[in-house]
Amino acid sequence: MPDQPSPDQPAGAQPPLFTWEFAANPYPAYAWLREHAPVHRTTLPSGVDAWLVTRYADARQALADSRLSKNPAHHSEQAHRSGRVGIPGERSADLMTHLLNIDPPDHTRLRRLVSKAFTPRRVAEFQPRVQQLTDRLIDSFAARGSADLIHEFAFPLPIYAICDLLGVPEEDQDDFRDWAGMMIRHGGGPRGGVARAVKRMRSYLLELIHRKRADLGDDLISGLIRASDHGEHLTENEAAAMAFILLFAGFETTVNLIGNGVFALLRHPEQRALLQSSIARGEQGLLGTAVEELLRYDGPVELATWRFATSPLTIGGVDIPVGDPVLVVLAAADRDPARFAAENTLDLARKDNPHLGFGHGIHYCIGAPLARLEGQAALATLLTRLPDLRLAADPDDLRWRGGLIMRGLRELPVAFTPEASRATGVSRGRRVDRPASEAI
Protein backbone atom coordinates (compact mmCIF):
# COMPACT_ATOMS: atom_id res chain seq x y z
CA MET A 1 0.00 0.00 0.00
CA PRO A 2 1.89 3.10 -1.17
CA ASP A 3 2.08 6.07 1.15
CA GLN A 4 2.80 8.65 -1.53
CA PRO A 5 0.58 10.09 -4.29
CA SER A 6 0.57 8.19 -7.55
CA PRO A 7 3.26 9.36 -10.03
CA ASP A 8 0.54 10.21 -12.57
CA GLN A 9 -1.23 12.53 -10.12
CA PRO A 10 -0.86 16.08 -11.51
CA ALA A 11 1.30 18.25 -9.28
CA GLY A 12 -0.80 20.43 -7.04
CA ALA A 13 -4.12 18.78 -7.95
CA GLN A 14 -6.36 17.55 -5.17
CA PRO A 15 -6.63 13.74 -5.22
CA PRO A 16 -10.21 12.47 -5.52
CA LEU A 17 -12.02 11.63 -2.30
CA PHE A 18 -14.46 8.77 -1.54
CA THR A 19 -13.65 6.63 -4.58
CA TRP A 20 -12.91 2.90 -4.32
CA GLU A 21 -9.22 3.68 -4.85
CA PHE A 22 -9.40 6.22 -2.04
CA ALA A 23 -11.02 3.64 0.27
CA ALA A 24 -8.14 1.24 -0.32
CA ASN A 25 -5.53 3.87 0.60
CA PRO A 26 -6.81 7.29 1.71
CA TYR A 27 -3.51 8.46 3.20
CA PRO A 28 -2.00 10.23 0.14
CA ALA A 29 -5.21 12.25 -0.27
CA TYR A 30 -5.23 13.12 3.41
CA ALA A 31 -1.58 14.20 3.20
CA TRP A 32 -2.52 16.55 0.36
CA LEU A 33 -5.39 18.00 2.39
CA ARG A 34 -3.20 18.49 5.47
CA GLU A 35 -0.72 20.49 3.39
CA HIS A 36 -3.02 22.43 1.08
CA ALA A 37 -6.54 22.51 2.60
CA PRO A 38 -6.39 21.33 6.22
CA VAL A 39 -9.98 22.43 6.92
CA HIS A 40 -11.76 21.52 3.72
CA ARG A 41 -15.42 21.80 2.73
CA THR A 42 -16.55 18.91 0.54
CA THR A 43 -19.69 17.16 -0.64
CA LEU A 44 -19.95 13.69 0.85
CA PRO A 45 -21.25 10.69 -1.12
CA SER A 46 -24.59 11.14 0.69
CA GLY A 47 -24.92 14.65 -0.77
CA VAL A 48 -24.33 16.40 2.55
CA ASP A 49 -21.78 19.24 2.57
CA ALA A 50 -19.35 19.01 5.50
CA TRP A 51 -16.00 20.28 6.71
CA LEU A 52 -13.08 17.83 6.94
CA VAL A 53 -10.48 18.64 9.62
CA THR A 54 -7.17 16.89 8.89
CA ARG A 55 -4.34 18.38 11.00
CA TYR A 56 -3.61 16.97 14.45
CA ALA A 57 -3.73 20.24 16.40
CA ASP A 58 -6.96 21.31 14.70
CA ALA A 59 -8.46 17.86 15.26
CA ARG A 60 -7.79 17.94 19.00
CA GLN A 61 -9.31 21.42 19.20
CA ALA A 62 -12.43 20.37 17.32
CA LEU A 63 -12.95 17.15 19.29
CA ALA A 64 -12.97 19.11 22.56
CA ASP A 65 -14.85 22.23 21.38
CA SER A 66 -18.22 22.57 23.13
CA ARG A 67 -19.50 24.69 20.23
CA LEU A 68 -19.51 21.53 18.12
CA SER A 69 -22.60 19.63 19.20
CA LYS A 70 -23.24 15.92 18.78
CA ASN A 71 -26.99 16.50 18.60
CA PRO A 72 -28.26 16.18 15.00
CA ALA A 73 -31.05 18.65 15.84
CA HIS A 74 -28.46 21.35 15.17
CA HIS A 75 -28.31 20.30 11.52
CA SER A 76 -30.88 19.63 8.80
CA GLU A 77 -33.89 17.68 10.01
CA GLN A 78 -34.41 16.36 6.50
CA ALA A 79 -30.81 15.11 6.22
CA HIS A 80 -31.08 13.12 9.43
CA ARG A 81 -34.57 11.81 8.67
CA SER A 82 -33.33 10.47 5.34
CA GLY A 83 -30.38 8.75 7.01
CA ARG A 84 -27.73 10.95 5.38
CA VAL A 85 -26.20 11.80 8.77
CA GLY A 86 -25.94 9.63 11.87
CA ILE A 87 -26.32 5.86 12.14
CA PRO A 88 -28.65 4.30 9.53
CA GLY A 89 -31.95 3.24 11.01
CA GLU A 90 -31.48 4.73 14.47
CA ARG A 91 -34.12 7.44 14.03
CA SER A 92 -36.88 5.21 12.69
CA ALA A 93 -36.17 2.71 15.48
CA ASP A 94 -36.37 5.45 18.17
CA LEU A 95 -32.77 4.82 19.29
CA MET A 96 -31.49 8.39 19.18
CA THR A 97 -30.81 9.01 22.88
CA HIS A 98 -27.29 7.63 23.21
CA LEU A 99 -23.80 8.96 23.90
CA LEU A 100 -22.97 9.72 20.26
CA ASN A 101 -25.99 11.99 19.79
CA ILE A 102 -26.26 14.06 22.97
CA ASP A 103 -24.44 16.86 24.78
CA PRO A 104 -24.07 17.75 28.46
CA PRO A 105 -25.83 17.58 30.84
CA ASP A 106 -27.62 14.50 29.46
CA HIS A 107 -24.33 13.14 28.09
CA THR A 108 -22.69 13.56 31.49
CA ARG A 109 -25.51 11.70 33.23
CA LEU A 110 -25.61 8.75 30.83
CA ARG A 111 -21.84 8.43 30.56
CA ARG A 112 -21.54 8.31 34.35
CA LEU A 113 -23.95 5.37 34.43
CA VAL A 114 -22.29 3.40 31.65
CA SER A 115 -18.71 4.12 32.75
CA LYS A 116 -19.21 1.82 35.74
CA ALA A 117 -19.05 -1.13 33.35
CA PHE A 118 -15.68 -0.08 31.91
CA THR A 119 -13.59 0.58 35.00
CA PRO A 120 -10.07 -0.93 34.94
CA ARG A 121 -11.18 -3.45 37.57
CA ARG A 122 -14.27 -4.54 35.64
CA VAL A 123 -12.34 -4.88 32.38
CA ALA A 124 -9.55 -6.84 34.10
CA GLU A 125 -12.15 -9.23 35.50
CA PHE A 126 -13.45 -9.76 31.96
CA GLN A 127 -10.01 -10.76 30.62
CA PRO A 128 -10.38 -14.54 31.16
CA ARG A 129 -13.69 -14.51 29.26
CA VAL A 130 -12.12 -12.61 26.33
CA GLN A 131 -9.24 -15.10 26.27
CA GLN A 132 -11.68 -18.01 26.32
CA LEU A 133 -13.62 -16.57 23.39
CA THR A 134 -10.37 -15.88 21.51
CA ASP A 135 -9.09 -19.44 21.92
CA ARG A 136 -12.40 -21.06 21.04
CA LEU A 137 -12.74 -19.03 17.86
CA ILE A 138 -9.22 -20.00 16.78
CA ASP A 139 -10.03 -23.62 17.69
CA SER A 140 -12.77 -23.57 15.05
CA PHE A 141 -10.31 -23.10 12.16
CA ALA A 142 -6.78 -23.80 13.48
CA ALA A 143 -6.70 -27.41 12.27
CA ARG A 144 -7.81 -26.38 8.77
CA GLY A 145 -4.73 -24.36 7.80
CA SER A 146 -6.70 -21.43 6.37
CA ALA A 147 -9.32 -18.92 7.45
CA ASP A 148 -10.95 -15.61 6.74
CA LEU A 149 -9.90 -13.71 9.83
CA ILE A 150 -12.62 -11.10 9.45
CA HIS A 151 -15.63 -13.43 9.23
CA GLU A 152 -14.31 -16.21 11.44
CA PHE A 153 -12.43 -14.27 14.10
CA ALA A 154 -12.35 -10.45 14.17
CA PHE A 155 -16.12 -10.15 13.62
CA PRO A 156 -17.54 -12.69 16.13
CA LEU A 157 -15.06 -12.00 18.96
CA PRO A 158 -16.29 -8.50 19.92
CA ILE A 159 -19.93 -9.44 19.21
CA TYR A 160 -19.88 -12.25 21.74
CA ALA A 161 -17.80 -10.21 24.19
CA ILE A 162 -20.13 -7.20 24.21
CA CYS A 163 -23.17 -9.49 24.38
CA ASP A 164 -21.69 -11.11 27.49
CA LEU A 165 -21.01 -7.69 28.98
CA LEU A 166 -24.55 -6.49 28.25
CA GLY A 167 -26.08 -9.67 29.63
CA VAL A 168 -27.56 -11.09 26.41
CA PRO A 169 -28.24 -14.81 27.02
CA GLU A 170 -26.01 -17.13 25.00
CA GLU A 171 -28.97 -18.68 23.19
CA ASP A 172 -29.82 -15.23 21.76
CA GLN A 173 -26.33 -14.08 20.83
CA ASP A 174 -26.32 -15.50 17.31
CA ASP A 175 -29.32 -13.27 16.56
CA PHE A 176 -27.16 -10.31 17.54
CA ARG A 177 -24.42 -11.63 15.28
CA ASP A 178 -26.87 -11.70 12.36
CA TRP A 179 -28.21 -8.19 13.07
CA ALA A 180 -24.69 -6.81 13.47
CA GLY A 181 -23.64 -8.47 10.24
CA MET A 182 -26.46 -6.71 8.42
CA MET A 183 -25.50 -3.36 9.94
CA ILE A 184 -21.80 -3.68 9.09
CA ARG A 185 -22.52 -4.23 5.40
CA HIS A 186 -23.11 -0.48 4.93
CA GLY A 187 -25.50 -0.92 2.05
CA GLY A 188 -24.09 -4.19 0.75
CA GLY A 189 -27.13 -6.19 1.86
CA PRO A 190 -30.75 -6.18 0.77
CA ARG A 191 -32.51 -2.84 0.47
CA GLY A 192 -33.77 -1.69 3.85
CA GLY A 193 -31.87 -4.46 5.60
CA VAL A 194 -30.01 -2.15 7.98
CA ALA A 195 -33.19 -0.44 9.18
CA ARG A 196 -34.89 -3.80 9.72
CA ALA A 197 -31.91 -5.12 11.68
CA VAL A 198 -31.86 -2.02 13.90
CA LYS A 199 -35.61 -2.30 14.59
CA ARG A 200 -35.29 -5.98 15.45
CA MET A 201 -32.43 -5.20 17.79
CA ARG A 202 -34.45 -2.48 19.51
CA SER A 203 -37.45 -4.78 19.98
CA TYR A 204 -35.24 -7.44 21.44
CA LEU A 205 -33.49 -5.01 23.80
CA LEU A 206 -36.78 -3.67 25.13
CA GLU A 207 -37.98 -7.22 25.74
CA LEU A 208 -34.69 -8.11 27.44
CA ILE A 209 -34.96 -5.07 29.73
CA HIS A 210 -38.42 -6.24 30.81
CA ARG A 211 -37.12 -9.76 31.49
CA LYS A 212 -34.14 -8.55 33.47
CA ARG A 213 -36.25 -6.40 35.76
CA ALA A 214 -37.50 -9.66 37.24
CA ASP A 215 -34.05 -11.28 37.41
CA LEU A 216 -31.23 -8.76 37.72
CA GLY A 217 -27.68 -9.99 37.22
CA ASP A 218 -24.14 -8.58 37.23
CA ASP A 219 -24.33 -7.35 33.65
CA LEU A 220 -24.50 -3.87 32.13
CA ILE A 221 -28.21 -3.88 31.30
CA SER A 222 -29.01 -4.93 34.87
CA GLY A 223 -26.79 -2.10 36.07
CA LEU A 224 -28.69 0.42 33.94
CA ILE A 225 -31.98 -0.88 35.35
CA ARG A 226 -30.70 -0.60 38.92
CA ALA A 227 -29.54 2.96 38.29
CA SER A 228 -32.95 3.86 36.88
CA ASP A 229 -34.71 2.30 39.85
CA HIS A 230 -32.53 4.35 42.22
CA GLY A 231 -33.50 7.73 40.85
CA GLU A 232 -31.03 8.28 37.98
CA HIS A 233 -34.00 8.89 35.66
CA LEU A 234 -32.91 6.52 32.91
CA THR A 235 -35.91 5.89 30.68
CA GLU A 236 -36.56 2.54 29.02
CA ASN A 237 -35.81 4.04 25.61
CA GLU A 238 -32.55 5.49 26.95
CA ALA A 239 -31.53 2.10 28.30
CA ALA A 240 -32.30 0.42 24.97
CA ALA A 241 -30.46 3.16 23.04
CA MET A 242 -27.43 2.86 25.33
CA ALA A 243 -27.28 -0.91 24.89
CA PHE A 244 -27.65 -0.43 21.12
CA ILE A 245 -24.82 2.08 20.78
CA LEU A 246 -22.48 0.05 22.99
CA LEU A 247 -23.01 -2.90 20.68
CA PHE A 248 -22.82 -0.89 17.46
CA ALA A 249 -19.83 1.29 18.39
CA GLY A 250 -18.08 -1.41 20.39
CA PHE A 251 -18.12 -4.29 17.96
CA GLU A 252 -17.25 -2.63 14.64
CA THR A 253 -14.39 -0.66 16.14
CA THR A 254 -12.81 -3.85 17.46
CA VAL A 255 -13.47 -5.79 14.24
CA ASN A 256 -11.43 -3.18 12.38
CA LEU A 257 -8.77 -2.89 15.07
CA ILE A 258 -8.06 -6.62 14.80
CA GLY A 259 -8.46 -6.85 11.02
CA ASN A 260 -6.45 -3.74 10.13
CA GLY A 261 -3.88 -4.62 12.80
CA VAL A 262 -3.23 -8.15 11.55
CA PHE A 263 -3.11 -6.89 7.96
CA ALA A 264 -0.50 -4.28 8.89
CA LEU A 265 1.61 -6.85 10.74
CA LEU A 266 1.51 -9.28 7.83
CA ARG A 267 2.74 -6.51 5.53
CA HIS A 268 5.55 -5.52 7.90
CA PRO A 269 7.34 -8.82 8.68
CA GLU A 270 10.17 -7.22 10.65
CA GLN A 271 7.76 -5.54 13.04
CA ARG A 272 5.67 -8.70 13.29
CA ALA A 273 8.81 -10.75 14.13
CA LEU A 274 9.75 -8.30 16.90
CA LEU A 275 6.29 -8.61 18.42
CA GLN A 276 6.28 -12.40 18.20
CA SER A 277 9.65 -12.60 19.93
CA SER A 278 8.50 -10.28 22.68
CA ILE A 279 5.30 -12.30 23.25
CA ALA A 280 7.28 -15.56 23.30
CA ARG A 281 9.46 -14.13 26.07
CA GLY A 282 6.35 -13.37 28.10
CA GLU A 283 6.79 -9.60 27.86
CA GLN A 284 3.76 -7.31 27.79
CA GLY A 285 5.33 -3.93 27.07
CA LEU A 286 5.69 -4.21 23.30
CA LEU A 287 2.23 -5.75 22.95
CA GLY A 288 0.74 -2.69 24.63
CA THR A 289 2.60 -0.16 22.49
CA ALA A 290 1.92 -2.28 19.39
CA VAL A 291 -1.84 -1.95 19.78
CA GLU A 292 -1.50 1.81 20.25
CA GLU A 293 0.66 2.09 17.13
CA LEU A 294 -1.75 0.00 15.08
CA LEU A 295 -4.54 2.32 16.22
CA ARG A 296 -2.49 5.26 14.95
CA TYR A 297 -1.10 3.73 11.77
CA ASP A 298 -4.32 2.37 10.24
CA GLY A 299 -6.98 2.72 12.90
CA PRO A 300 -10.53 1.37 12.90
CA VAL A 301 -12.25 4.78 12.90
CA GLU A 302 -11.34 6.90 9.90
CA LEU A 303 -13.52 9.92 10.71
CA ALA A 304 -14.93 10.88 14.09
CA THR A 305 -18.70 10.83 14.29
CA TRP A 306 -20.80 13.84 13.29
CA ARG A 307 -20.52 17.23 14.96
CA PHE A 308 -22.56 20.35 14.19
CA ALA A 309 -21.61 23.98 14.79
CA THR A 310 -23.96 25.64 17.30
CA SER A 311 -22.29 29.04 16.99
CA PRO A 312 -19.73 30.55 14.59
CA LEU A 313 -16.22 29.24 15.21
CA THR A 314 -12.83 29.17 13.57
CA ILE A 315 -10.79 26.00 13.04
CA GLY A 316 -7.36 26.20 11.48
CA GLY A 317 -8.03 29.75 10.35
CA VAL A 318 -11.26 28.77 8.57
CA ASP A 319 -14.63 30.15 9.66
CA ILE A 320 -17.34 27.52 10.21
CA PRO A 321 -20.95 28.79 9.95
CA VAL A 322 -23.69 27.81 12.40
CA GLY A 323 -25.33 24.48 11.54
CA ASP A 324 -22.54 23.15 9.34
CA PRO A 325 -21.41 19.54 9.93
CA VAL A 326 -17.77 19.03 10.93
CA LEU A 327 -16.00 15.69 10.50
CA VAL A 328 -12.63 15.26 12.20
CA VAL A 329 -10.46 12.95 10.09
CA LEU A 330 -8.70 10.85 12.71
CA ALA A 331 -6.80 8.90 10.05
CA ALA A 332 -5.29 12.14 8.72
CA ALA A 333 -4.53 13.65 12.13
CA ASP A 334 -2.77 10.50 13.29
CA ARG A 335 -0.33 10.72 10.38
CA ASP A 336 0.38 14.42 10.77
CA PRO A 337 4.18 14.90 10.47
CA ALA A 338 3.86 17.98 12.68
CA ARG A 339 3.04 15.63 15.57
CA PHE A 340 4.41 12.18 14.69
CA ALA A 341 7.96 11.52 13.55
CA ALA A 342 8.17 9.11 10.58
CA GLU A 343 4.41 9.37 10.34
CA ASN A 344 4.04 6.78 7.56
CA THR A 345 6.24 4.21 9.30
CA LEU A 346 4.83 1.40 11.43
CA ASP A 347 6.87 1.41 14.64
CA LEU A 348 5.41 -0.94 17.25
CA ALA A 349 7.80 0.41 19.90
CA ARG A 350 6.73 4.03 19.38
CA LYS A 351 6.62 5.72 22.79
CA ASP A 352 5.42 9.25 22.08
CA ASN A 353 2.05 8.27 20.65
CA PRO A 354 -0.93 10.41 21.74
CA HIS A 355 -3.03 9.16 18.83
CA LEU A 356 -6.68 10.11 18.41
CA GLY A 357 -7.87 6.62 17.53
CA PHE A 358 -10.33 6.65 20.43
CA GLY A 359 -11.15 10.34 20.11
CA HIS A 360 -10.48 13.13 22.59
CA GLY A 361 -12.45 15.19 25.08
CA ILE A 362 -15.75 14.29 26.72
CA HIS A 363 -16.66 11.91 23.88
CA TYR A 364 -13.48 9.85 24.24
CA CYS A 365 -14.45 6.23 23.55
CA ILE A 366 -15.88 4.79 26.75
CA GLY A 367 -15.14 1.24 25.60
CA ALA A 368 -11.44 1.88 24.87
CA PRO A 369 -10.21 -0.36 27.75
CA LEU A 370 -12.26 -3.30 26.43
CA ALA A 371 -11.13 -2.71 22.83
CA ARG A 372 -7.50 -2.66 23.96
CA LEU A 373 -8.01 -5.89 25.91
CA GLU A 374 -9.62 -7.62 22.92
CA GLY A 375 -6.95 -6.33 20.55
CA GLN A 376 -4.09 -7.51 22.73
CA ALA A 377 -5.67 -10.92 23.31
CA ALA A 378 -6.40 -11.39 19.62
CA LEU A 379 -2.92 -10.45 18.38
CA ALA A 380 -1.00 -12.32 21.07
CA THR A 381 -3.02 -15.51 20.65
CA LEU A 382 -2.95 -15.50 16.85
CA LEU A 383 0.80 -14.91 16.70
CA THR A 384 1.46 -17.58 19.34
CA ARG A 385 -0.82 -20.33 18.08
CA LEU A 386 -0.37 -19.65 14.34
CA PRO A 387 3.25 -18.44 14.20
CA ASP A 388 3.61 -18.69 10.39
CA LEU A 389 0.37 -16.83 9.67
CA ARG A 390 0.51 -15.33 6.17
CA LEU A 391 -1.74 -13.59 3.67
CA ALA A 392 -3.52 -15.92 1.25
CA ALA A 393 -4.36 -13.22 -1.29
CA ASP A 394 -2.74 -10.36 -3.13
CA PRO A 395 -3.00 -7.34 -0.79
CA ASP A 396 -4.16 -5.18 -3.71
CA ASP A 397 -7.11 -7.51 -4.30
CA LEU A 398 -8.55 -7.11 -0.80
CA ARG A 399 -11.70 -5.02 -0.57
CA TRP A 400 -12.44 -2.35 2.03
CA ARG A 401 -15.96 -1.80 3.31
CA GLY A 402 -17.75 1.31 2.17
CA GLY A 403 -18.97 3.80 4.73
CA LEU A 404 -17.94 7.19 5.97
CA ILE A 405 -16.88 6.68 9.58
CA MET A 406 -15.27 3.26 9.93
CA ARG A 407 -12.30 1.78 8.08
CA GLY A 408 -12.06 -1.98 7.74
CA LEU A 409 -11.51 -4.90 5.41
CA ARG A 410 -14.37 -6.97 4.02
CA GLU A 411 -12.27 -10.12 4.29
CA LEU A 412 -8.75 -11.15 5.31
CA PRO A 413 -7.86 -14.60 3.91
CA VAL A 414 -4.86 -16.18 5.62
CA ALA A 415 -3.00 -19.48 5.58
CA PHE A 416 -0.84 -21.19 8.18
CA THR A 417 0.47 -24.58 9.23
CA PRO A 418 -2.51 -26.49 10.61
CA GLU A 419 -2.51 -26.75 14.37
CA ALA A 420 -2.93 -30.11 16.08
CA SER A 421 -6.63 -30.83 16.56
CA ARG A 422 -8.27 -29.26 19.58
CA ALA A 423 -11.86 -29.09 20.80
CA THR A 424 -13.84 -26.85 18.46
CA GLY A 425 -16.77 -24.49 18.87
CA VAL A 426 -16.84 -21.13 20.56
CA SER A 427 -19.39 -22.03 23.18
CA ARG A 428 -22.64 -23.79 23.79
CA GLY A 429 -24.47 -23.84 20.46
CA ARG A 430 -22.79 -20.83 18.84
CA ARG A 431 -22.60 -21.18 15.06
CA VAL A 432 -18.88 -20.63 14.59
CA ASP A 433 -18.60 -23.12 11.74
CA ARG A 434 -21.24 -21.66 9.40
CA PRO A 435 -20.18 -20.28 5.99
CA ALA A 436 -18.53 -16.89 6.18
CA SER A 437 -21.05 -15.42 3.75
CA GLU A 438 -23.76 -15.80 6.40
CA ALA A 439 -21.89 -13.57 8.84
CA ILE A 440 -21.35 -10.32 6.98
Side-chain angles (χ1 to χ4, degrees), residues 271-312:
Q271 291 292 302
R272 176 253 190 93
L274 287 174
L275 182 57
Q276 280 184 294
S277 297
S278 175
I279 293 170
R281 293 193 297 269
E283 300 169 354
Q284 292 297 312
L286 188 60
L287 180 60
T289 60
V291 169
E292 301 308 309
E293 175 67 349
L294 293 170
L295 284 161
R296 182 201 71 85
Y297 180 78
D298 197 9
V301 183
E302 189 167 341
L303 284 77
T305 49
W306 295 84
R307 285 166 166 79
F308 308 95
T310 59
S311 60

Side-chain angles (χ1 to χ4, degrees), residues 148 150-152 155-156 159-160 173-185 189-190 410 430-440:
D148 179 343
I150 300 298
H151 295 267
E152 298 180 76
F155 177 76
I159 284 287
Y160 293 140
Q173 292 187 9
D174 280 322
D175 288 333
F176 268 75
R177 175 174 173 161
D178 292 338
W179 296 329
M182 183 62 69
M183 292 164 62
I184 205 174
R185 288 178 183 179
R410 289 179 178 267
R430 288 176 174 167
R431 306 194 305 271
V432 299
D433 56 347
R434 61 181 175 170
S437 60
E438 296 182 25
I440 52 177

Side-chain angles (χ1 to χ4, degrees), residues 27-351:
Y27 297 104
Y30 288 150
W32 189 96
L33 288 177
R34 275 197 313 267
E35 182 176 357
H36 300 285
V39 180
H40 175 65
R41 186 176 174 87
T42 189
T43 301
L44 305 174
S46 64
V48 173
D49 291 332
W51 296 92
L52 302 181
V53 179
T54 56
R55 287 181 179 169
Y56 183 87
D58 296 336
R60 275 181 61 94
Q61 173 201 333
L63 291 172
D65 197 318
S66 61
R67 293 169 296 177
L68 289 173
S69 170
K70 299 291 290 177
N71 188 341
H74 292 290
H75 185 49
S76 164
E77 172 79 9
Q78 181 180 4
H80 195 275
R81 186 178 297 278
S82 64
R84 291 190 294 159
V85 301
I87 299 171
E90 64 177 355
R91 184 185 187 93
S92 61
D94 196 18
L95 288 171
M96 290 289 296
T97 311
H98 56 68
L99 291 176
L100 294 185
N101 279 346
I102 57 176
D103 304 314
D106 286 336
H107 177 271
T108 308
R109 173 176 59 91
L110 293 180
R111 188 178 178 98
R112 183 177 65 250
L113 295 177
V114 180
S115 64
K116 297 173 184 176
F118 295 100
T119 63
R121 179 189 64 82
R122 185 73 179 269
V123 171
E125 290 173 349
F126 201 54
Q127 193 278 334
R129 181 57 176 157
V130 171
Q131 187 61 55
Q132 181 186 44
L133 290 169
T134 301
D135 277 318
R136 288 182 174 176
L137 282 165
I138 295 176
D139 287 346
S140 68
F141 57 76
R144 196 169 69 227
S146 65
D148 179 343
L149 284 187
I150 300 298
H151 295 267
E152 298 180 76
F153 184 66
F155 177 76
L157 174 59
I159 284 287
Y160 293 140
I162 199 67
C163 280
D164 283 351
L165 196 67
L166 288 171
V168 177
E170 288 192 4
E171 61 268 22
D172 296 338
Q173 292 187 9
D174 280 322
D175 288 333
F176 268 75
R177 175 174 173 161
D178 292 338
W179 296 329
M182 183 62 69
M183 292 164 62
I184 205 174
R185 288 178 183 179
H186 296 304
R191 185 176 179 86
V194 174
R196 286 195 298 272
V198 172
K199 288 181 178 179
R200 288 171 185 165
M201 190 177 293
R202 177 184 184 274
S203 296
Y204 175 85
L205 289 170
L206 288 173
E207 177 190 349
L208 182 61
I209 289 168
H210 283 303
R211 284 158 46 191
K212 283 190 174 292
R213 282 193 181 278
D215 185 21
L216 294 175
D218 189 33
D219 53 79
L220 178 53
I221 290 179
S222 294
L224 293 175
I225 294 170
R226 286 193 185 94
S228 181
D229 291 343
H230 286 82
E232 289 282 2
H233 307 298
L234 187 71
T235 69
E236 195 169 80
N237 273 349
E238 285 177 333
M242 288 302 304
F244 163 74
I245 199 59
L246 288 172
L247 176 76
F248 180 84
F251 92 86
E252 190 172 4
T253 301
T254 308
V255 172
N256 296 343
L257 167 58
I258 296 171
N260 297 3
V262 172
F263 182 58
L265 291 176
L266 294 180
R267 301 200 68 191
H268 294 81
E270 302 87 354
Q271 291 292 302
R272 176 253 190 93
L274 287 174
L275 182 57
Q276 280 184 294
S277 297
S278 175
I279 293 170
R281 293 193 297 269
E283 300 169 354
Q284 292 297 312
L286 188 60
L287 180 60
T289 60
V291 169
E292 301 308 309
E293 175 67 349
L294 293 170
L295 284 161
R296 182 201 71 85
Y297 180 78
D298 197 9
V301 183
E302 189 167 341
L303 284 77
T305 49
W306 295 84
R307 285 166 166 79
F308 308 95
T310 59
S311 60
L313 72 154
T314 301
I315 304 175
V318 176
D319 295 331
I320 309 294
V322 173
D324 274 16
V326 174
L327 291 168
V328 177
V329 187
L330 305 180
D334 280 342
R335 290 208 189 187
D336 188 343
R339 182 59 191 84
F340 298 98
E343 73 280 3
N344 291 320
T345 298
L346 181 70
D347 178 7
L348 299 185
R350 189 183 296 266
K351 299 295 185 184

